[in-house]
Each structure stands twice: as structure tokens, then as C-alpha cells.
Amino acid sequence: MTDGHVLEDKSHFHGVWVFLEARVGALRDVSQQLIGEARRLADLRGAPLTGVLPGHRVEPLAEKAIGFGLDRVIVVDDPLLEIYRSRPYAKVMATLIRRHKPEIVLFGASKNGRDLGGRLHAILETGLAADCVKFDIDGDGNLDMIRPSFGGKSLAHILCKKHRPQMASVRRNVFVAPPHHAERKGEVVRETVELGPQDIDATLIEFQEFTKEGGLRPEEADVVVSGGYGLGEAKHFGMLQELADRLGGAVAASRKAVDSGWVPKMFQVGQTGMTVCPKVYIAIGISGAVQHLAGMQESEKIVVINLDPKAPLFEIADYGLVGDLFEVVPELIRQLDAIKGAGVAVSSALPAEAH
């Protein structure tokens, strides 16, 4: 007995669940990425892997999701679930969890996933480990939820030994999405949860999908050009945009550049920003605090341009250039323009292993 409540026997809980987040008629990539890691955990536990997809007219997405490695998908279809709203989604997930008793539930750490996970752990009186970067199963069958701590200087191992389900969230691009196999067979289970006007905590007036003006979001780009405090002021990010445009990439920033008001928060890479995993990450004027590394260190190739030869980011760089960024970046742009003028594809001018 704890806090006046009798804990339900852990043996009643079985299976691994992934919350599947649908948006604008598609399955969000963080959900796809989670399926691969959840498949590994389910196999370690000898348990089925289930995706849970609340929404409206989303059954085609459920069938597609099975191809990423799910054994089944539970669909709750209701017009009130067409867009994410806190109260109805939390009610649906809490009802299903109490009904089926999964031992592990994973969420993508999108804005919706963070909101949903936080509400559910309070409703279900269980734990939630946020922004995990790795999972394991300990000798007693508990989920070892591993996340950065002390500003990213160490990793914390979090166990939820008494309560079930064990819940955790993972940011986008921490795990790689598994290959999709359209021929994979699985079960789509249709369930209902009673929802009514009392469950609606917000009224939709208008929905507009945000798209970054002039190009890709950093999370979607193969090349990310990221600027730090070394740029000195906001106007110099225009120079980085010029470089990114020539490389078909996107601009991002360090936390210090964001905190200085030079770049909007939505472009921040790092522990308290986004996680990116492009083919090429170009860090310009960024020293490389551990918090920044947490958001980009899994990039395929890392290029660092910094005046300080002792900048920590050089330690993980594949290519490093010690020099004044205000000389180096304009020269890079000139060289790329010259290559383009000569009719050579920019991609062929990059190092072969960075293609």
C-alpha cells in the first residue's frame, strides 16, 4: 500500500504500446521512429507491440503503421479526435490503458506528446521519464529509461519498479525509423471510448499548418547550417541562410543565439531545443556545450567553423576549420557559386562520404 492506494499486481500488465500521432493525414515521423525501438523492447520482453491511434478517419494510417513493425493497432475513431485536444485524448488513452494494461507506453516528445504524457502520468498515478535517449530492460524486467542529466554531462537511469505502466517520451530523431514493409500483416482493432461535450476543453476556430517561409525545417533537411553566439548579432544569420540555400539545407541555431533574441526558439538545436540528424551538420561560431551536442551529435557528418581551436565541438567534428567565420562563410558561398557556374552539382563537390 502506498499513499493510501493498493498497487495493482504488476503481473497483470503485459505488452508494449506506442502512441501514434497523426497530423494532416500522415503519421508523424517521431511515431515511426519510436516503433523501431519499441519493437526491440517488445521482443526483449516476449510481448506484443501495439500502436494506439486516436483520430478521425485514420484507419488507412493504422494499416500503414503496421508495416513499420507493429503487431496490431488500436484505433479510436471519433470526430472529436480529429485534432489533438488535451482532455479527450487523455480520456481515450487512460481508458484504453486501464482496459488493456500495457506494461510500457512510449510517446513522441512533440508538443502534443509531452502534454498527453504529462496528463496521463497524473491520471494513472505512475511515472514518466521525459526526453529519453536510450532504453534497456534490467534483470527484473523493468524498463531502464535513460536520459541526459546535469545539463547533459551525465546519463540518468530511471526505473519505475512499483507502478505500471512504465511511461517515457522520446524526442524526434533520437531513433532511426525502421524500414517500412507494406506486406507485413497485423491486426487493426476498432475500439470506442465514450466522449461528449463535457470532454471538450477547447473549440477549434481555425487550423493553419505552419510552414517555414523560404525553405525546410531543420529536422527535415539533409544539410543543416547552424549558427551560434560567435555570429555577434542577428543580421549575420542572413549569411548562413545564403549558405544553406546553396546547399539545399536549413538554418538552425544554438541556445545562446536564441537567448540573445537573434533567432526564434523554434530553430534551437540542443537539449532544450530540437534534435536533428542530417547528413551534414555545419556548426558556425558554436563552441559546443554539452547541451548543444545532445541535439546534433548523431549527424552523419559534422563540419565545424570556429576561430577558437579549443572549441569542444572540434572533438567530434569530421571536418574542422579554424578561422574567422566572416571570412570563411563568404568564401564558401563564392566557391559554391563558382561550382554552380561551372555546371557542377553541389553534391558532387562535397566529400564523397558526406553525400
Side-chain angles (χ1 to χ4, degrees):
M1 182 175 292
T2 180
D3 297 331
H5 299 284
V6 177
L7 294 178
E8 187 170 354
D9 190 332
K10 291 193 297 184
S11 66
H12 295 172
F13 293 81
H14 184 64
V16 179
W17 280 18
V18 175
F19 168 64
L20 301 178
E21 187 175 350
R23 185 171 181 178
V24 198
L27 192 65
R28 295 201 68 176
D29 53 2
V30 70
S31 297
Q32 299 173 24
Q33 293 160 8
L34 268 181
I35 292 172
E37 179 63 7
R39 178 75 268 169
R40 186 182 71 85
L41 295 174
D43 291 343
L44 287 173
R45 293 296 293 149
L49 176 59
T50 299
V52 184
L53 181 60
H56 185 45
R57 297 173 181 166
V58 291
E59 192 162 317
L61 293 182
E63 295 170 351
K64 181 177 180 180
I66 288 171
F68 288 106
L70 295 166
D71 296 313
R72 66 171 182 163
V73 177
I74 297 175
V75 174
V76 178
D77 189 294
D78 192 296
L80 296 181
L81 300 172
E82 185 171 7
I83 63 163
Y84 178 83
R85 285 180 281 200
S86 301
R87 193 176 295 167
Y89 267 71
K91 181 176 181 178
V92 166
M93 288 296 294
T95 301
L96 293 177
I97 289 170
R98 286 168 172 156
R99 189 180 293 171
H100 295 282
K101 302 187 186 328
E103 63 173 339
I104 295 171
V105 182
L106 302 180
F107 305 86
S110 61
K111 288 182 174 62
N112 295 346
R114 290 178 189 272
D115 177 77
L116 180 60
R119 288 171 179 269
L120 282 174
H121 96 86
I123 293 169
L124 300 171
E125 298 183 333
T126 189
L128 172 68
D131 294 340
C132 293
V133 296
K134 187 178 180 181
F135 295 109
D136 208 344
I137 303 293
D138 75 0
D140 296 322
N142 296 303
L143 180 65
D144 185 2
M145 299 170 278
I146 304 168
R147 70 178 308 278
S149 64
F150 296 105
K153 295 180 180 179
S154 64
L155 293 174
H157 292 253
I158 301 171
L159 299 173
C160 184
K161 294 184 176 181
K162 294 182 179 180
H163 296 260
R164 292 294 185 269
Q166 303 159 100
M167 302 202 309
S169 68
V170 176
R171 289 198 294 179
R172 185 183 189 185
N173 294 325
V174 169
F175 297 113
V176 177
H180 186 267
H181 299 287
E183 71 279 4
R184 181 182 174 86
K185 301 300 181 184
E187 183 183 11
V188 176
V189 180
R190 301 163 193 81
E191 298 213 16
T192 58
V193 174
E194 186 176 344
L195 296 172
Q198 72 279 3
D199 298 307
I200 301 303
D201 52 353
T203 300
L204 176 64
I205 303 298
E206 183 181 7
F207 181 84
Q208 292 184 347
E209 178 71 5
F210 173 83
T211 55
K212 177 182 175 295
E213 183 180 351
L216 293 168
R217 299 173 186 236
E219 309 102 300
E220 301 167 343
D222 286 338
V223 177
V224 173
V225 179
S226 191
Y229 194 65
L231 269 80
E233 54 184 311
K235 69 178 183 180
H236 293 140
F237 273 84
M239 177 175 61
L240 300 197
Q241 186 65 61
E242 289 184 48
L243 179 58
D245 289 344
R246 284 158 175 79
L247 294 170
V251 169
S254 69
R255 176 175 178 173
K256 202 165 183 182
V258 170
D259 288 348
S260 298
W262 302 341
V263 183
K265 169 74 173 176
M266 62 183 297
F267 297 108
Q268 180 183 325
V269 170
Q271 187 176 356
T272 55
M274 73 182 92
T275 300
V276 297
C277 189
K279 292 180 179 179
V280 180
Y281 186 86
I282 305 175
I284 301 173
I286 301 174
S287 62
V290 290
Q291 292 89 342
H292 188 76
L293 297 182
M296 47 65 69
Q297 60 190 347
E298 297 304 321
S299 302
E300 290 185 27
K301 293 296 174 183
I302 298 171
V303 180
V304 175
I305 301 169
N306 202 298
L307 194 58
D308 179 8
K310 296 182 179 179
L313 207 52
F314 279 121
E315 296 178 10
I316 66 165
D318 296 287
Y319 302 95
L321 200 161
V322 177
D324 185 341
L325 68 89
F326 297 107
E327 296 177 1
V328 174
V329 175
E331 181 60 26
L332 279 175
I333 293 171
R334 284 193 290 271
Q335 293 288 343
L336 290 168
D337 286 343
I339 290 170
K340 184 177 180 181
V344 179
V346 170
S347 61
S348 65
L350 293 171
E353 62 269 39
H355 286 178

